Amino acid sequence: MSADPNTLPRSIDEYLTQLRRALAGADAALIQDALSDAETHLRAEFAARSNESEASVLEAIAASYGLPADVAAAYLETDYKVQAALAPTPDRANSTRSSKRGLLREFFGVYGDIRSWTSLLLMPLSLVTGVLYFSIVLTGLSLSLGLAILIIGLPFFIAFVGLTRILALVEGRLVEAMTGERMPRRNRPSHRGRWTERLGAMFKDRRTWTTLAYQLLALPLGVASFTVAVTFSTLGIGLMGGGVVALLQALGLDVPGEALQWGTETLELGPVAAVLRSIGAIGLGILVLTALLNLARVTGRAHGRFAKLMLVAA
Amino acid sequence: MNDIARKFQRDLNAGLVALVLLGVLADVDDDLYGYDIAKRLQRARQGEPLFKEGTIYPVLRSLAASGWLSSRIVPSYSGPPRRYYRITDEGRAVLAEWRTVWRHTRDFVDQFTGPSAAPAATFEEPTP
């Protein structure tokens, strides 16, 4: 089998292998998209020319669709432009600034970074998707094991793995929208052939198992990120809201609500101390929210990397 | 076409492929998938194709990413699911602008290279 992307491939599989090789080192999601596009096109071409020999069809394809090397070049060129045009606001976090002022700006600059807000949204959302993935995978696995002694056990397992791949694609779209980590836009071409061969390929595919692991882990990770997001956003908003109410009360306005309390007893403070304390509470609230946004940005990136590692074929 | 002519064609194609794809999709009421579009272009062309069919897919993807095309996936019995594209209103607006740019460009270039200007050089395959 010739692996040189500049020579004429002799089968669809060989074409795809050459294309994969020509794209080596590119983004895994881009490779997956390119392979899927090529396979769809080549199979359609083969279906349209079913009365011709495979060799002559492949020769025609090389002339019309292009050799793997040409196609790879087109993807690398176009995708680069797309990413440059659609890239989010320049990533200030990556600029190397070590001064205290720079660190402070970076800490509070998180408000201007759209990715930190979307990542914050992803944290509670992860619980919902986590519950969904976990229940589907657990049900699918137990039914597959339970049905294994019957004839329908294996076909059921194939269908179940197919479902987890669709879910992985959906998760990828969600992760890309929220964190900016590039994920596949199409499903990876699955192995063709008799169902026994497909089953074998499925068992041997590392990604089948990492996808299942990811979807099982999605629940505990979702619970953790939901808890952190809800706890700290409530704490921050509570401190800010309570601070505002206390400030208005300290200024003599008739605002409904309990006086701000430290512990269980209401402190009787002078008017200046009461104002300072409420401002302190507002400041603390802002600090907690800012810290949460920073944390969301970091976990968002980690979520994206983890999803890519587990869900996208290397 | 020799290598120099081919490289010139590639440089020209950078924006033209996107213009042609928007044009093809603006002409039909239906949505089309990549292979359909490729075959439409193949039927329309005379002589050697301006670009390989393999190069239209990444451009379709980037047009969709810009919001100028919408897409939907339809499962297929003969292979991986097909992605069907349809032009959006935003895409039509972009196409209208690009058409104007293209006409200006073409008219300007024609003044110097068109039939009324000096005879155009003909490309010939170099004899080995």
Side-chain angles (χ1 to χ4, degrees):
Chain A
M1 187 152 129
S2 168
D4 179 359
N6 285 307
T7 59
L8 189 65
R10 278 162 301 187
S11 67
I12 292 185
D13 282 343
E14 195 175 314
Y15 190 102
L16 296 177
T17 308
Q18 289 188 8
L19 182 58
R20 189 194 300 269
R21 216 159 287 199
L23 285 166
D27 188 288
L30 179 145
I31 298 178
Q32 197 162 319
D33 285 351
L35 291 175
S36 170
D37 284 341
E39 192 181 355
T40 318
H41 188 99
L42 300 193
R43 289 201 186 280
E45 192 76 72
F46 265 85
R49 297 162 173 259
S50 51
N51 50 347
E52 294 175 43
S53 76
E54 193 168 349
S56 76
V57 176
L58 276 160
E59 208 166 309
I61 284 172
S64 63
Y65 192 75
L67 285 171
D70 305 329
V71 175
Y75 275 90
L76 293 175
E77 219 170 279
T78 312
D79 203 67
Y80 173 74
K81 282 183 201 147
V82 171
Q83 293 213 319
L86 298 178
T89 45
D91 197 352
R92 276 177 228 98
N94 281 346
S95 59
T96 46
R97 241 184 269 128
S98 54
S99 72
K100 263 189 183 160
R101 213 194 131 115
L103 277 178
L104 209 62
R105 193 186 291 168
E106 198 175 293
F107 183 70
F108 285 102
V110 76
Y111 285 100
D113 184 357
I114 183 81
R115 290 278 172 244
S116 44
W117 293 100
T118 51
S119 299
L120 182 62
L121 194 65
L122 183 62
M123 288 175 82
L125 209 59
S126 304
L127 178 64
V128 182
T129 53
V131 168
L132 187 73
Y133 301 152
F134 186 87
S135 347
I136 290 176
V137 169
L138 209 63
T139 313
L141 274 181
S142 10
L143 275 176
S144 299
L145 281 177
L147 295 174
I149 50 162
L150 301 174
I151 195 80
I152 58 164
L154 289 176
F156 181 85
F157 180 73
I158 294 178
F160 161 61
V161 171
L163 178 65
T164 64
R165 287 185 180 178
I166 292 168
L167 288 178
L169 193 68
V170 171
E171 169 76 0
R173 302 313 306 142
L174 181 70
V175 165
E176 182 172 335
M178 296 302 206
T179 71
E181 179 76 42
R182 202 178 178 303
M183 297 291 284
R185 286 155 205 212
R186 291 178 188 70
N187 217 337
R188 199 170 55 130
S190 55
H191 193 86
R192 310 265 136 229
R194 288 158 46 79
W195 70 269
T196 43
E197 290 167 17
R198 291 174 63 172
L199 187 70
M202 233 170 224
F203 270 106
K204 271 185 272 173
D205 189 350
R206 178 194 74 97
R207 208 191 50 150
T208 304
W209 307 110
T210 54
T211 300
L212 291 179
Y214 179 92
Q215 286 163 344
L216 286 175
L217 280 172
L219 182 63
L221 291 175
V223 169
S225 62
F226 178 88
T227 313
V228 169
V230 169
T231 308
F232 287 100
S233 57
T234 318
L235 181 65
I237 292 168
L239 276 169
M240 277 169 64
V244 169
V245 170
L247 182 64
L248 293 178
Q249 283 174 347
L251 292 174
L253 272 87
D254 184 24
V255 183
E258 289 291 313
L260 194 62
Q261 293 183 354
W262 297 122
T264 50
E265 53 184 310
T266 313
L267 292 180
E268 288 302 327
L269 294 170
V272 177
V275 168
L276 286 179
R277 195 190 51 182
S278 13
I279 291 175
I282 296 173
L284 197 62
I286 293 176
L287 206 64
V288 168
L289 280 184
T290 316
L292 177 63
L293 268 177
N294 273 289
L295 180 71
R297 182 159 66 169
V298 173
T299 57
R301 267 188 218 142
H303 190 151
R305 302 255 162 81
F306 184 56
K308 187 164 233 167
L309 182 75
M310 301 293 268
L311 301 179
V312 183
Chain B
M1 253 201 302
N2 61 28
D3 282 350
I4 296 170
R6 228 174 255 132
K7 181 180 183 313
F8 179 61
Q9 181 73 64
R10 257 208 315 278
D11 291 346
L12 279 182
N13 284 350
L16 286 182
V17 178
L19 173 64
V20 168
L21 292 178
L22 284 181
V24 169
L25 285 160
D27 265 358
V28 293
D29 294 326
D30 235 356
D31 40 5
L32 299 175
Y33 79 107
Y35 185 78
D36 275 343
I37 299 172
K39 292 305 131 187
R40 269 165 201 265
L41 296 177
Q42 194 184 58
R43 277 199 299 273
R45 75 157 200 245
Q46 286 125 18
E48 196 165 347
L50 299 187
F51 41 82
K52 300 282 188 201
E53 290 167 354
T55 63
I56 71 173
Y57 288 89
V59 180
L60 282 172
R61 235 156 22 94
S62 84
L63 291 174
S66 306
W68 302 335
L69 301 180
S70 63
S71 71
R72 65 189 174 97
I73 300 177
V74 176
S76 145
Y77 289 109
S78 63
R82 294 167 175 177
R83 186 172 283 266
Y84 281 77
Y85 293 94
R86 179 191 285 271
I87 192 164
T88 62
D89 290 341
E90 210 182 326
R92 285 185 195 276
V94 169
L95 175 62
E97 278 172 29
W98 285 9
R99 272 196 180 125
T100 317
V101 173
W102 166 242
R103 275 197 212 103
H104 280 310
T105 313
R106 190 193 54 198
D107 293 347
F108 179 77
V109 174
D110 274 354
Q111 285 180 42
F112 300 98
T113 58
S116 55
T122 49
F123 288 114
E124 281 172 11
E125 288 291 334
T127 44

